Amino acid sequence: LTPLEIKMPDQTYVSDFIYEKHEVVEGIIKSIDLPKPYDDHKNTQSLVVTLKDTKFNIYLDLIYTSFFDTDVISRKTVIRNEDKKSISIRKIMSMSFDIYGSQYDMLTLDGGAIKEANKHITPIAAGTYINSSMTGNSSYRHNPGVILLEKGTHEDYGNCYGFNLIYSGNHYTAIDQSSHGILRVMQGINPSMFDLDLKTDQTFETPTTILSFSSKGLNDLSHHMHDFINDHLIPRQFKQVERPIVINSWEGFYFDFNEKKLLKLAKKAKSLGVELFVLDDGWFSSRDNDLSGLGDYDVNFKKLKHGLKGLSRQIHQMGMKFGLWFEPEMINPISKLYEKHPEYAVQIEGRTPALGRHQLVLDMINPDVRAYLVKHISEIIEDAKLDYIKWDMNRDMTDMFSVHIDNQGMFYHSYIIGLYDVLSQLRAKYPNLLIETCASGGNRFDLGMLCYGPQIWTSDNTDPISRLSIQKG
């Protein structure tokens, strides 16, 4: 029902959850701080199955929601500790699902930077197969989406099951083929370095898994998932809205640009039918290379003599929209922000932090960091009248520590909750702002991010031949 590893109040790892009650409700059971699907057409129904441990007052709610219009079912788990003592949760999956049969293959989307989402098919035999991420993000190494397909299944024929996770952090999918012909699938937060102390009267909710089935092959299964994402996941105001044709300044200039160069490029782009001009990295602080400046939001007037406001005005006068690149989650040690607030960076006292691309990660668990980001990004959005932002994230996480949580086993998950908080605030303030999420290309290509930005930068690889396999995945 739900794979668990819990250290119970009696210090054993033995639990025995049995059925207590169930309830069928119309609509979706809301989440508190995790991204969630929505239902505008009132065409969903939820089943809540409540289990209780036979010895302690600890409860599990298994929550299933049927999205009838897209042939998708979602599943999440909520655990409540109503006992007098705390429990320690080392593993709690969003769902577990059994399939009878032994003639299945596993399809995963694996790769790396500039080679994302390459399709791999692995025959399932006896044993356990794991698809997971341990980088702090959902990862281009192993995307959280997994498909089980009967042998012989292709685009237009055969039985296949799709599983995906509405989450942007470390994920975990395990597929186990038993000797009795049962294929068990579980999916949820990666249990590695996950450790949750659940005190009396506290509740924890897992991310939502979505599942779908097709007897008509991969193409039909893809349609189920695509329809679900378009109708129930991306921000409503972008549903069925045609996206603008974009030109981005990066490959044209890298850091070497000025206002005159940008306007010349924009004018040429406009003549070709481009609708949105995006200024990439290098517009702030002393940012002439990737060694410094991340974390600062002061405009570089040496490059932009009329500032972002002036450049935006001229781009808009051409009849184009204007967008800007940010890397909000990162900080360079050589920056005004780091000089003033070194405690904002993720690092461990007494250890030399590992740099990635000359940068550290900002502590999104810290409420002051989140407030700083929302304040300064909001000021830029309003001053430059932005139509679009490209939200980048260019390194994996290391040195996982925050003084703002007592249990470092919750660092990864708490970071993602902090990220969602910032994105939620910006989405609420600027509902029509087009946010395209990015992480060195497709390093965070997941359903969680699509709840805040309706499109994701697929890859930094723009070679048309390479993109055939990337786009396919």
Side-chain angles (χ1 to χ4, degrees), residues 249 253 256-269 277 279 300-307 310-311 314-315 318:
S249 67
F253 301 117
D256 183 20
F257 61 82
N258 56 38
E259 186 177 289
K260 184 178 179 180
K261 288 181 178 180
L262 295 175
L263 291 172
K264 184 178 179 181
L265 177 63
K267 186 176 180 180
K268 288 184 177 181
F277 182 89
L279 173 57
N300 188 327
F301 282 92
K302 290 182 179 179
K303 294 181 179 181
L304 305 171
K305 64 179 181 179
H306 296 104
L311 177 64
Q314 294 179 81
I315 297 294
M318 292 182 190

Side-chain angles (χ1 to χ4, degrees), residues 83-371:
D83 205 76
K84 294 180 180 179
K85 294 183 178 180
S86 299
I87 58 175
S88 178
I89 302 173
R90 312 291 181 84
K91 176 182 182 179
I92 179 167
M93 293 288 100
S94 298
M95 72 88 190
S96 179
F97 185 77
D98 286 358
I99 303 170
Y100 290 91
S102 57
Q103 297 299 309
Y104 282 90
D105 295 330
M106 176 177 70
L107 189 157
T108 56
L109 301 170
D110 313 292
I114 72 172
K115 52 185 177 182
E116 294 89 343
N118 286 278
K119 182 179 73 173
H120 291 116
I121 294 180
T122 304
I124 299 294
T128 302
Y129 299 77
I130 294 173
N131 181 73
S132 69
S133 160
M134 277 299 302
T135 56
N137 48 47
S138 50
S139 169
Y140 41 41
R141 293 167 179 81
H142 307 291
N143 189 273
V146 174
I147 296 173
L148 281 179
L149 56 158
E150 275 191 319
K151 294 186 184 300
T153 296
H154 53 72
E155 290 294 338
D156 300 308
Y157 173 83
N159 293 328
C160 46
Y161 298 82
F163 308 89
N164 212 330
L165 193 63
I166 305 177
Y167 191 60
S168 307
N170 293 339
H171 62 85
Y172 179 89
T173 303
I175 299 171
D176 181 81
Q177 177 73 70
S178 78
S179 59
H180 300 288
I182 298 175
L183 202 63
R184 174 161 292 177
V185 184
M186 65 180 74
Q187 188 172 63
I189 296 173
N190 198 315
S192 181
M193 288 188 283
F194 178 85
D195 185 5
L196 167 63
D197 291 324
L198 200 67
K199 296 179 174 58
T200 303
D201 294 329
Q202 286 187 338
T203 297
F204 180 77
E205 177 185 338
T206 71
T208 298
T209 283
I210 64 169
L211 325 92
S212 190
F213 168 78
S214 174
S215 61
K216 301 176 183 177
L218 293 168
N219 194 42
D220 189 55
L221 180 67
S222 296
H223 281 303
H224 294 175
M225 294 296 197
H226 295 171
D227 289 343
F228 173 81
I229 292 166
N230 283 312
D231 292 342
H232 297 286
L233 214 61
I234 67 168
R236 293 173 174 87
Q237 56 272 36
F238 295 102
K239 289 171 64 170
Q240 307 305 321
V241 175
E242 191 173 278
R243 307 288 186 260
I245 302 169
V246 179
I247 188 167
N248 184 294
S249 67
W250 181 245
E251 278 85 0
F253 301 117
Y254 297 107
F255 294 104
D256 183 20
F257 61 82
N258 56 38
E259 186 177 289
K260 184 178 179 180
K261 288 181 178 180
L262 295 175
L263 291 172
K264 184 178 179 181
L265 177 63
K267 186 176 180 180
K268 288 184 177 181
K270 172 63 178 176
S271 70
L272 294 171
V274 172
E275 299 161 317
L276 168 62
F277 182 89
V278 178
L279 173 57
D280 210 279
D281 196 358
W283 55 267
F284 54 91
S285 191
S286 56
R287 188 75 169 169
D288 293 322
N289 51 50
D290 64 358
L291 299 175
S292 65
L294 278 177
D296 299 335
Y297 286 88
D298 53 321
V299 178
N300 188 327
F301 282 92
K302 290 182 179 179
K303 294 181 179 181
L304 305 171
K305 64 179 181 179
H306 296 104
L308 286 173
K309 188 174 183 178
L311 177 64
S312 174
R313 183 177 63 250
Q314 294 179 81
I315 297 294
H316 283 130
Q317 287 173 351
M318 292 182 190
M320 301 172 72
K321 294 181 178 181
F322 180 61
L324 196 62
W325 175 95
F326 292 88
E327 193 171 3
E329 299 167 66
M330 300 296 155
I331 182 171
N332 285 124
I334 304 174
S335 66
K336 299 183 185 75
L337 180 62
Y338 190 82
E339 289 178 10
K340 189 176 181 179
H341 291 290
E343 75 278 7
Y344 280 10
V346 173
Q347 50 190 326
I348 301 170
E349 185 178 355
R351 295 188 183 277
T352 302
L355 292 175
R357 292 169 56 107
H358 314 291
Q359 61 199 46
L360 297 171
V361 180
L362 280 173
D363 183 3
M364 301 294 279
I365 305 170
N366 185 342
D368 292 337
V369 169
R370 301 199 300 271

Side-chain angles (χ1 to χ4, degrees), residues 16-31:
D16 185 16
F17 288 95
I18 63 172
Y19 171 86
E20 182 170 85
K21 63 179 181 178
H22 74 276
E23 180 184 14
V24 176
V25 297
E26 298 300 320
I28 298 169
I29 307 296
K30 292 184 178 180
S31 299

Side-chain angles (χ1 to χ4, degrees), residues 112-116 440-442 456-462 467 470:
I114 72 172
K115 52 185 177 182
E116 294 89 343
S440 289
I456 298 175
W457 183 253
T458 309
S459 177
D460 286 338
N461 184 348
T462 55
R467 283 296 281 265
I470 294 171

Side-chain angles (χ1 to χ4, degrees), residues 362-370 401-402 404-405 408 410-416 418-419:
L362 280 173
D363 183 3
M364 301 294 279
I365 305 170
N366 185 342
D368 292 337
V369 169
R370 301 199 300 271
F401 176 81
S402 173
H404 298 277
I405 51 174
Q408 300 308 312
M410 290 302 291
F411 175 87
Y412 279 124
H413 182 68
S414 299
Y415 180 98
I416 294 297
L419 169 64

